Amino acid sequence: MSDDRLKYVVDMANQIALNLLHGKEQQQCVTEISHHINRFWAPSMRAQLAEAANNDNYQLEGMVILALREIKITAEN
Amino acid sequence: MINYYDPKTESAASQGADLSKDLGTPISKSSVQVSVQIDGVNIVVPEGTSVLRAAAIADINIPKLCASDNLEAFGSCRLCAVEIEGMRGMPASCTTPVRDGMKVQTQNANIAKLRRNIMELYISDHPLDCLTCPANGDCELQDMSGAVGLREVRYGFDGKNHLDGATDSSNPYFSFDDSKCIVCSRCVRACEEVQGTFALTVDGRGFDSRISAGQNQDFIDSDCVSCGACVQACPTATLTEKSVIDNGQPDHSIVTTCAYCGVGCSFRADMQGDKVLRMVPDKNGLANQGHSCVKGRFAFGYATHQDRITSPMIRDNIEQDWREVSWQEALEFAGKRLTDIQDEYGRNSIGAITSSRCTNEETYLVQKLVRAVFQNNNVDTCARVCHSPTGYGLKATLNESAGTQTFESVMQSDVVLVIGANPTDAHPVFGSLLKRRLRQGAKLIVADPRSIDLIDSPHSKAQHHLKLRPGTNVALINALAHVIVDEGLEDADFINRRCDDASFQQWLQHIKDQRHSPENTMAITGVDAGELRAAARLYATANNGAIYYGLGVTEHSQGSSSVMAIANLAMVTGNIGREGVGVNPLRGQNNVQGSCDMGSFPHELPGYRHVGEASTRNLFEQEWQVSLDSEPGLRIPNMFEAAIHGDFKGLYCQGEDIAQSDPNTQHVQKALSSMHCIIVQDIFLNETAKYAHVFLPGSSFMEKNGTFTNAERRISRVRKLMPALAGKEDWQVTVDLAKALGYEMNYQHPSEIMDEIARLTPTFSGVSYQKLEQLGSIQWPCNDQAPLGTPIMHTENFVGEKGKFAITEYVATAEKANKRFPLLLTTGRILSQYNVGAQTRRTDNQVWHDQDVLEIHPNDAEDRGINNGDWVGIASRAGTTALRARISQRMQPGVVYTTFHHPLSGANVVTTENSDWATNCPEYKVTAVQATRVDEPSQWQAEYEQFSQRQAQYLKNKNGGQIAET
């Protein structure tokens, strides 16, 4: 897995969080972020996000890290 | 007694009434009915109806020349003179409104004599060359001469006349023959009243009166926008299509739907055999109501252009000659390649892209192919790069991914807010309708970084131009909403009745914060706080306030937030659910709405239902007899990323040119070059096809049956005008590709595909070709609850629930101007070209725009020593290209603009991969660039030209020529 690819999903997830974290309680933000990613992202991209979360080279927003608990990570077919 | 029945009422029109007959003057919308007697026939009509129209409704046809029911009565020809009991003389029936109890005589010896005398005068100054005249058989002057029984011209033809009038052939599509002009002024009035351009005038007085384009200019040099309204209005051969002059009169006509923008105009294709002579806007078409633009009216020649490829081709790699093969060989080749890829790289390694230029039935089949045969959800559509934020934003707030109104609705708007749209260029027929409403007195607010034409049109000016900085839409719309709640201008009743209270309260707390005030956002948007407050008040206090928006809203890193902010604005002011209001996305291409409706997004089945919904999936599984993937697939940019990293290897691309239209061209090229099998189905060897291994020849909209759905959700028939040049309609090719992959799709006609869509999609359950034939067009939802369709959405509720306010915080784009890239580039469209230009570049529309240019403010040009016409290098973080400069006051300092209609321009070499946070719609509207004077095209342009030349050679060699040098 190349760095570019993980950076791509990390940037996307962080951007989602930046746009959803305003004017709400933390749990609502976390739920909205995870709901969005579960609803719109292919499993392969969600898996990459999980991989990036375990890699110190990538800076995930705090809300994304919290949302990861609610993001469905499934094995690729 | 004949009870008044005007087919232009909504109910009659929706039932497919024929509006073709010219009733002479426009409809009166008075609710007061009056009774008149015409030639002894009693008739009841609305007060204000002209005698001419009332008579025509009763099928009493009074001769006329200067009158037409799409123009205000003028009364110049006097041919429609009648006698009215109690009135002196013979008044013109077109300018005389009916009165209750009026008795009208339309025919007697005196009237007949007067009409003959009038015609005699006209004919005395008109060439008597009817037999060789291009309008022979389609000339109102000829018809009226016959109708009044003119038998001689007593004045002779030796006196002073206009028979030696010159012909202006400067326009590529029509000519103006002054010798045949009767100065009835219909062309002038059509240009004013229908098109709203005011390019024509009557120059001179009395006998010297002549029709003039501009200031005695040729048509091509005047302000004429070649919409064709004048040609359509002309009752003689003065203004005639060159195609008719060259070929003669059509022998039959077929009504179909335009394949250009999202207005979805209905056209009558006038034909000779299977050759289209001209496209005439159809009066029965409810989207365009008999009007057209230069593209739909005239730019259809691409369909038979010599560049059309009509045989399938294959090759093993993209640096090989193409090899022309049979359909069977091409489809087997494609099928085997896709199968091999899935065997080696997994089932998610291939996908497809549908096109908004294809029909509903075709896009439905492509997504079916992906889901049922590829066994994944890797299907996306070009709406990804234009209006995907509309789908997301309107679903999140109004609970339906579509605009709320008809186009006609704007005629009841009091205030119109246009955000990030340029209707007179990109949606010209709607632009004309809007301008007509503005001339009637509606107020206009424009939010746009550029000074678009609407801001200062003939006889209408915007009350407010909010000239914001690119990328700050959300801050601006939030500020408008802030003013509305801050000044108590919200519609509390509407909010209480129609909207979700919890979401409103949360949004209210958010938007009331002072950081959203115009005074505080001024530093972000660049818009004066006082002007913005005044605009907010104007919109909020309108009886009917409507919002129209375009790609200037969606193609941003916050495109979805902007759409939701717009929906918030409409809900907080109660401007939803009736005529004259609403949220109206102006869709870029003809079938953007339809391609989205048909399940082209990777997370949604047709009807915007998520692939994760088991009950919906089961419906499709039973119909298609397969099991379906419950997880979303890859979006287009995700496909590119996966391709570059070796996971995505095969693509079926129908009717879309991603190599030219998608951002960061070099990134796209890298992705395309990484794939093992690209199948392009198109009518031309487009830019994407240069990276393809299989070329399946497509069919233009003239060669197939189907439906398009326009921006009003209006489903209209596309009818086959001629045989498919390649032998197959596009839907048949997809069926055959499925078969090559081992899956049978059994359809004999696209109507059967629509029947399947209706079976599976609740919002389409009442749609059928039979009903479309009856009604002309249908706006979805069309089902048991709305069997005739739904012109206005959300009249009672928001699709079963309440409207939801969404919090839309302004988040600045990551794309920042700095010392290295100090300008912001924004991209867009112009009137004469369309999208990637594949169609319009192959027409005479090239005379207006044969290259993309960089518009730049005089200050920025001066700072850089740039003059008009200079080559300008445009560098961004993504790449560099070069264009000719056009210095323009339309720009604000610090902002430059270009279009992307020509491949070698490389406009998208410069745009970046930044995209909307929710949908990945590219941020085409904001790219930080530097512009510098250069001497030649960029390196990318030089290399791409070489690549294109090689590809052209590979195409030339398709029948076994030599491999070109590389």
Side-chain angles (χ1 to χ4, degrees):
Chain A
M1 185 66 62
S2 75
D3 289 350
D4 282 355
R5 191 141 187 216
L6 295 188
K7 184 176 183 308
Y8 174 70
V9 292
V10 167
D11 288 347
M12 281 175 63
N14 286 345
Q15 194 188 4
I16 290 166
L18 270 178
N19 277 276
L20 288 178
L21 59 74
H22 303 277
K24 300 161 202 158
E25 299 292 331
Q26 176 176 296
Q27 185 51 47
Q28 188 183 354
C29 295
V30 168
T31 301
E32 288 187 9
I33 292 166
S34 60
H35 176 77
H36 184 95
I37 290 175
N38 285 332
R39 188 171 177 80
F40 296 107
W41 283 28
S44 57
M45 295 166 64
R46 300 199 300 256
Q48 289 154 24
L49 186 65
E51 185 182 340
N54 293 322
N55 187 324
D56 292 340
N57 292 327
Y58 303 99
Q59 296 296 314
L60 277 169
E61 290 285 335
M63 289 287 186
V64 178
I65 293 169
L66 292 173
L68 268 170
R69 294 179 206 148
E70 298 175 20
I71 291 174
K72 288 188 290 178
I73 309 297
T74 51
E76 275 256 47
N77 291 302
Chain B
M1 177 182 288
I2 294 174
N3 286 315
Y4 170 71
Y5 173 76
D6 196 309
K8 208 178 170 184
T9 60
E10 183 181 298
S11 59
S14 67
Q15 288 166 29
D18 184 9
L19 305 179
S20 302
K21 182 177 177 181
D22 188 341
L23 300 176
T25 60
I27 187 173
S28 164
K29 293 188 175 169
S30 171
S31 56
V32 178
Q33 300 285 303
V34 296
S35 178
V36 293
Q37 190 182 84
I38 303 176
D39 292 347
V41 178
N42 291 322
I43 180 167
V44 177
V45 292
E47 190 175 41
T49 301
S50 71
V51 170
L52 179 66
R53 186 181 179 95
I57 289 168
D59 222 14
I60 297 167
N61 299 310
I62 301 170
K64 60 182 174 56
L65 272 175
C66 72
S68 182
D69 62 8
N70 66 339
L71 304 173
E72 293 301 321
F74 196 56
S76 84
C77 78
R78 316 304 293 185
L79 202 60
C80 67
V82 293
E83 287 185 352
I84 298 174
E85 194 174 283
M87 288 181 74
R88 291 197 305 176
M90 295 185 200
S93 61
C94 64
T95 52
T96 306
V98 293
R99 283 196 324 269
D100 202 40
M102 180 183 267
K103 290 185 177 176
V104 180
Q105 188 76 38
T106 73
Q107 295 186 57
N108 61 33
N110 286 339
I111 296 170
K113 185 179 178 185
L114 173 68
R115 289 177 184 157
R116 271 196 298 275
N117 286 345
I118 291 168
M119 281 306 299
E120 193 177 359
L121 285 167
Y122 274 122
I123 299 303
S124 71
D125 192 8
H126 192 83
L128 295 180
D129 60 350
C130 286
L131 290 179
T132 54
C133 176
N136 188 18
D138 184 25
C139 174
E140 290 182 48
L141 188 70
Q142 192 179 51
D143 294 344
M144 291 305 110
S145 187
V148 303
L150 183 67
R151 297 291 175 264
E152 62 175 342
V153 176
R154 292 165 293 171
Y155 309 111
F157 295 89
D158 297 332
K160 195 175 176 188
N161 58 49
H162 301 89
L163 299 179
D164 59 352
T167 297
D168 174 0
S169 297
S170 60
N171 188 288
Y173 296 118
F174 61 84
S175 68
F176 175 83
D177 182 349
D178 190 36
S179 71
K180 296 191 169 173
C181 179
I182 60 172
V183 202
C184 65
S185 192
R186 273 167 67 167
C187 56
V188 176
R189 288 178 288 137
C191 190
E192 294 175 1
E193 297 174 28
V194 179
Q195 167 56 30
T197 294
F198 294 75
L200 304 180
T201 189
V202 179
D203 189 45
R205 288 169 182 258
F207 186 82
D208 293 328
S209 300
R210 305 314 296 161
I211 301 299
S212 168
Q215 304 293 318
N216 273 320
Q217 295 163 297
D218 286 340
F219 270 78
I220 197 74
D221 297 323
S222 73
D223 290 338
C224 169
V225 292
S226 301
C227 68
C230 58
V231 180
Q232 199 177 344
C234 181
T236 72
T238 308
L239 283 155
T240 304
E241 297 91 348
K242 289 181 175 175
S243 59
V244 171
I245 294 173
D246 292 343
N247 296 285
Q249 289 295 322
D251 55 41
H252 70 284
S253 300
I254 299 172
V255 172
T256 191
T257 305
C258 180
Y260 283 117
C261 78
V263 176
C265 294
S266 181
F267 276 91
R268 190 188 77 215
D270 282 350
M271 317 271 301
Q272 272 182 348
D274 61 8
K275 180 176 181 177
V276 178
L277 280 191
R278 65 180 171 194
M279 300 289 276
V280 180
D282 179 23
K283 280 178 70 180
N284 288 301
L286 296 181
N288 55 316
Q289 302 180 10
H291 191 36
S292 58
C293 78
V294 62
K295 295 190 283 285
R297 178 74 155 92
F298 296 116
F300 55 85
Y302 68 87
T304 50
H305 192 273
Q306 61 184 10
D307 288 353
R308 281 290 299 270
I309 298 175
T310 56
S311 298
M313 303 185 298
I314 58 174
R315 59 183 176 179
D316 289 319
N317 67 64
I318 68 167
E319 292 295 353
Q320 269 186 347
D321 287 343
W322 283 104
R323 189 157 60 86
E324 202 170 89
V325 295
S326 67
W327 275 106
Q328 184 179 351
E329 186 174 352
L331 290 162
E332 284 175 358
F333 180 90
K336 184 171 187 319
R337 281 224 161 183
L338 292 178
T339 304
D340 288 349
I341 288 171
Q342 281 192 307
D343 286 347
E344 187 172 352
Y345 297 96
R347 68 179 167 89
N348 290 323
S349 60
I350 64 173
I353 296 175
T354 74
S355 173
S356 297
R357 282 174 235 161
C358 292
T359 64
N360 286 318
E361 293 76 4
E362 289 156 0
T363 53
Y364 175 84
L365 286 195
V366 172
Q367 64 87 34
K368 178 176 177 177
L369 175 81
V370 171
R371 302 189 202 282
V373 187
F374 293 3
Q375 282 286 290
N376 62 42
N377 286 313
N378 291 337
V379 60
D380 208 355
T381 181
C382 51
R384 175 66 53 208
V385 300
C386 66
H387 266 285
S388 52
T390 289
Y392 178 90
L394 296 187
K395 182 86 173 177
T397 49
L398 310 183
N399 205 31
E400 191 58 273
S401 299
T404 61
Q405 309 295 117
T406 61
F407 288 129
E408 173 72 13
S409 162
V410 79
M411 296 308 286
Q412 296 186 46
S413 301
D414 301 304
V415 172
V416 179
L417 171 54
V418 175
I419 309 179
N422 187 8
T424 54
D425 275 34
H427 303 86
V429 169
F430 171 70
S432 291
L433 193 66
L434 172 57
K435 286 197 291 185
R436 179 187 293 197
R437 181 59 186 155
L438 296 176
R439 291 196 303 275
Q440 291 174 351
K443 309 292 188 209
L444 175 67
I445 304 162
V446 171
D448 201 294
R450 290 196 310 149
S451 297
I452 59 173
D453 287 347
L454 265 183
I455 289 162
D456 190 0
S457 293
H459 303 284
S460 77
K461 289 188 171 41
Q463 274 61 42
H464 301 287
H465 178 199
L466 310 178
K467 203 167 188 172
L468 75 172
R469 293 195 184 105
T472 63
N473 285 330
V474 172
L476 180 125
I477 302 165
N478 281 349
L480 291 168
H482 176 90
V483 173
I484 288 165
V485 298
D486 189 46
E487 300 189 6
L489 301 175
E490 67 269 29
D491 185 338
D493 177 59
F494 181 90
I495 296 164
N496 289 336
R497 284 188 298 109
R498 302 288 307 275
C499 301
D500 172 67
D501 187 57
S503 70
F504 173 68
Q505 295 301 335
Q506 196 171 39
W507 176 79
L508 187 62
Q509 290 307 310
H510 164 79
I511 208 71
K512 279 169 71 176
D513 192 286
Q514 282 302 311
R515 72 180 184 280
H516 299 302
S517 73
E519 291 73 19
N520 285 330
T521 54
M522 193 163 67
I524 299 167
T525 63
V527 174
D528 176 76
E531 178 106 36
L532 192 142
R533 280 191 179 274
R537 290 174 196 134
L538 182 64
Y539 171 73
T541 57
N543 285 332
N544 287 332
I547 303 175
Y548 291 83
Y549 71 89
L551 303 180
V553 160
T554 57
E555 291 177 342
H556 285 277
S557 64
Q558 284 201 290
S560 292
S561 300
S562 298
V563 173
M564 292 189 290
I566 285 170
N568 291 340
L569 206 55
M571 286 191 291
V572 78
T573 54
N575 278 312
I576 291 276
R578 62 182 188 278
E579 292 279 2
V581 299
V583 176
N584 302 277
L586 293 171
R587 307 281 188 162
Q589 300 195 57
N590 50 323
N591 202 34
V592 174
Q593 182 69 57
S595 68
C596 299
D597 299 341
M598 293 298 105
S600 293
F601 287 137
H603 66 286
E604 283 174 337
L605 288 156
Y608 302 102
R609 289 165 294 168
H610 197 270
V611 293
E613 293 172 16
S615 57
T616 303
R617 221 170 44 247
N618 286 343
L619 269 179
F620 286 86
E621 286 175 338
Q622 285 177 22
E623 178 81 26
W624 297 348
Q625 291 294 297
V626 291
S627 61
L628 299 176
D629 190 346
S630 62
E631 290 287 358
L634 297 169
R635 298 166 172 173
I636 293 171
N638 310 149
M639 291 179 193
F640 293 155
E641 284 300 317
I644 288 169
H645 294 93
D647 300 331
F648 189 83
K649 294 290 186 183
L651 180 69
Y652 172 38
C653 186
Q654 185 186 69
E656 194 51 32
D657 197 358
I658 49 179
Q660 188 179 340
S661 64
D662 284 37
N664 193 348
T665 301
Q666 292 175 96
H667 185 74
V668 176
Q669 290 171 333
K670 189 175 174 186
L672 295 176
S673 303
S674 303
M675 294 189 213
H676 291 179
C677 179
I678 295 177
I679 304 163
V680 167
Q681 186 173 336
D682 206 285
I683 59 176
F684 300 114
L685 193 85
N686 62 19
E687 304 313 303
T688 309
K690 293 171 182 172
Y691 296 89
H693 308 85
V694 181
F695 185 89
L696 303 175
S699 46
S700 75
F701 79 111
M702 294 184 179
E703 299 155 51
K704 57 195 177 189
N705 285 299
T707 56
F708 290 148
T709 305
N710 76 353
E712 307 167 293
R713 297 166 280 105
R714 185 183 302 284
I715 307 161
S716 301
R717 275 297 314 276
V718 177
R719 293 184 177 86
K720 191 170 183 172
L721 310 179
M722 60 179 73
L725 298 187
K728 289 182 191 288
E729 299 178 35
D730 284 318
W731 65 272
Q732 293 173 308
V733 177
T734 306
V735 167
D736 289 347
L737 182 57
K739 188 173 184 177
L741 288 159
Y743 185 85
E744 290 285 344
M745 295 183 183
N746 297 307
Y747 309 101
Q748 301 304 311
H749 189 272
S751 64
E752 296 173 11
I753 305 171
M754 180 54 82
D755 291 342
E756 181 174 314
I757 294 164
R759 279 198 299 279
L760 296 169
T761 313
T763 46
F764 277 68
S765 65
V767 179
S768 68
Y769 275 38
Q770 188 180 13
K771 192 182 278 186
L772 284 165
E773 292 298 330
Q774 291 166 355
L775 303 184
S777 60
I778 299 169
Q779 286 175 274
W780 67 260
C782 176
N783 46 31
D784 288 345
Q785 291 75 44
L788 298 179
T790 310
I792 306 291
M793 294 280 285
H794 315 305
T795 52
E796 302 296 326
N797 52 47
F798 287 100
V799 193
E801 55 184 88
K802 295 198 167 187
K804 287 181 187 153
F805 283 83
I807 289 179
T808 54
E809 182 70 35
Y810 168 67
V811 178
T813 172
E815 183 69 5
K816 311 280 189 202
N818 58 17
K819 278 188 180 175
R820 189 175 165 212
F821 303 112
L823 303 170
L824 291 180
L825 169 73
T826 185
T827 65
R829 290 141 178 78
I830 62 149
L831 173 65
S832 56
Q833 297 281 1
Y834 175 72
N835 201 268
V836 294
Q839 295 147 283
T840 45
R841 279 187 280 110
R842 293 178 171 95
T843 70
D844 285 332
N845 279 25
Q846 283 285 88
V847 301
W848 290 287
H849 185 90
D850 62 358
Q851 62 178 313
D852 298 313
V853 297
L854 185 78
E855 288 188 34
I856 184 168
H857 189 272
N859 294 359
D860 293 324
E862 187 177 359
D863 287 349
R864 292 162 175 79
I866 294 169
N867 297 305
N868 255 329
D870 284 350
W871 278 108
V872 179
I874 306 144
S876 75
R877 296 177 178 95
T880 302
T881 194
L883 298 169
R884 299 280 186 186
R886 177 179 294 158
I887 297 172
S888 168
Q889 292 280 1
R890 287 156 62 102
M891 308 310 301
Q892 55 179 286
V895 179
V896 292
Y897 172 85
T898 191
T899 49
F900 64 104
H901 302 302
H902 295 267
L904 272 176
S905 302
N908 281 321
V909 172
V910 181
T911 55
T912 70
E913 290 164 80
N914 290 346
S915 66
D916 173 44
W917 66 271
T919 66
N920 283 143
C921 180
E923 191 183 31
Y924 290 113
K925 303 298 184 185
V926 187
T927 306
V929 298
Q930 177 59 291
T932 51
R933 194 171 158 180
V934 295
D935 298 325
E936 57 188 6
S938 70
Q939 184 180 343
W940 177 87
Q941 286 168 308
E943 289 173 0
Y944 194 69
E945 186 161 18
Q946 288 175 11
F947 174 73
S948 294
Q949 285 170 356
R950 286 204 308 279
Q951 293 298 322
Q953 189 61 46
Y954 299 151
L955 179 63
K956 277 185 186 167
N957 295 343
K958 65 186 176 184
N959 289 319
Q962 298 301 306
I963 294 176
E965 286 183 19
T966 59

